[in-house]
Amino acid sequence: MKKYAIFFFLLLFMVGTGSIVWLYLYNSSASGATQTASTETVLPQNELSTLPDLVEIKSEGKSIKLSLNDIPQYKNYLLNEADIQSEIARTQFTSLDVPSSETYAILKYGCGTKDCSTILVKTDGNKSESLTMPVGIFQDYKLSPNQERVLIRYAYDEGGLVKRQILVAVDLEKLKIIPYTSAALEEPFMLKPTWPIISYDWIDNNQFTIETAALETSEYSALKDWFSSENRKIRKITIRLNSIKRLDEYPKAT
């Protein structure tokens, strides 16, 4: 009888111990699964960041509201930045004095030491349109006589003394780039900063004049001597705009 009691006691002990081990293994497995699931659902901080549909850009005491969905190139830029709000705060703009119920402005962002990426935007405060413009230093602009087109000058500094410029024409109603009629003039005065543009002015709504250095070469040393001279020789060039062709964005020089 005593042997049966000992055997029964040992059997209960083994069953109890097995249950405890099984419960421990089950809990450990469940805990591990929970931790794995938790780890897999954690997203990087930049993926958790969301952009507002409407942003307000402040610059020089003025502000402008823009719909980011209407400005995809700027939206994509912000999405690739670690601190979106800081980039929005660093963005600047210059308003264009265009007689219109809508606001026209040059948006300047992603600025390096000198140059900035730029976009020409048109907005009514809710809906916006945009046109990709050159990377450079926005300098100034002039409206055509009928105020439906604009010439925008960009500067490119080289060492403080030498400065080259380009002129980009824009159809304000269609918000598109207007190419030059002459490809030979378009390359050095619109696509590749080659010469200084001392002054420029509209002749009529389709053509304008520029004044530049009267030199045979645009090499840096020649331009440096020209800028240093007190007797700078000037040449005047007339440029005609293409009456038909329009571009959806500023073209890259080939």
Side-chain angles (χ1 to χ4, degrees):
M1 185 69 181
K2 188 175 183 180
K3 291 181 179 181
Y4 286 114
I6 294 172
F7 175 78
F8 183 74
F9 176 78
L10 290 174
L11 182 62
L12 288 176
F13 177 79
M14 292 175 65
V15 171
T17 304
S19 299
I20 293 171
V21 171
W22 181 83
L23 287 172
Y24 173 79
L25 292 175
Y26 176 82
N27 290 334
S28 297
S29 177
S31 176
T34 303
Q35 290 178 358
T36 301
S38 176
T39 301
E40 290 175 350
T41 56
V42 173
L43 296 175
Q45 186 63 36
N46 57 350
E47 291 185 25
L48 293 173
S49 301
T50 56
L51 283 172
D53 294 332
L54 202 66
V55 296
E56 184 176 13
I57 309 296
K58 297 180 180 180
S59 180
E60 299 177 355
K62 298 181 180 179
S63 68
I64 186 173
K65 291 182 179 180
L66 302 171
S67 171
L68 287 180
N69 289 330
D70 297 332
I71 313 175
Q73 58 273 57
Y74 181 56
K75 181 178 181 179
N76 290 337
Y77 167 77
L78 292 176
L79 286 173
N80 287 308
E81 293 300 309
D83 191 338
I84 292 174
Q85 293 303 321
S86 293
E87 287 304 316
I88 293 175
R90 279 193 284 265
T91 300
Q92 301 178 347
F93 73 91
T94 298
S95 298
L96 305 186
D97 189 14
V98 179
S100 171
S101 59
E102 297 173 301
T103 298
Y104 289 83
I106 293 287
L107 203 66
K108 296 172 278 188
Y109 65 98
C111 300
T113 305
K114 296 179 181 179
D115 300 344
C116 298
S117 296
T118 65
I119 301 172
L120 178 58
V121 297
K122 178 171 69 172
T123 181
D124 60 5
N126 294 307
K127 185 178 179 181
S128 307
E129 294 181 56
S130 63
L131 176 65
T132 300
M133 297 292 284
V135 175
I137 304 171
F138 167 79
Q139 186 170 348
D140 53 29
Y141 70 96
K142 287 186 179 181
L143 293 175
S144 62
N146 64 5
Q147 299 184 320
E148 294 177 357
R149 299 176 177 181
V150 64
L151 287 171
I152 302 176
R153 179 163 57 170
Y154 285 82
Y156 301 84
D157 289 339
E158 296 181 25
L161 180 61
V162 175
K163 181 183 291 185
R164 307 172 198 257
Q165 282 105 343
I166 59 171
L167 274 175
V168 183
V170 175
D171 184 324
L172 290 171
E173 183 179 0
K174 297 179 179 179
L175 208 66
K176 294 182 182 293
I177 301 289
I178 309 175
Y180 293 4
T181 301
S182 169
L185 293 175
E186 185 176 73
E187 182 173 355
F189 292 110
M190 174 180 159
L191 299 180
K192 294 181 180 179
T194 306
W195 295 97
I197 298 177
I198 308 307
S199 66
Y200 65 100
D201 208 353
W202 289 94
I203 298 174
D204 52 38
N205 298 315
N206 298 307
Q207 56 185 344
F208 59 94
T209 60
I210 63 172
E211 289 187 339
T212 186
L215 297 171
E216 294 183 1
T217 176
S218 61
E219 291 183 359
Y220 177 82
S221 58
L223 287 176
K224 184 178 179 181
D225 292 340
W226 184 84
F227 274 104
S228 301
S229 174
E230 294 182 358
N231 185 25
R232 302 176 185 173
K233 293 184 178 180
I234 302 291
R235 59 178 172 138
K236 182 176 288 189
I237 299 173
T238 298
I239 297 175
R240 177 173 287 275
L241 296 174
N242 193 302
S243 59
I244 300 174
K245 189 176 181 180
R246 297 292 182 270
L247 304 176
D248 292 329
E249 63 180 8
Y250 177 77
K252 294 181 180 180
T254 56

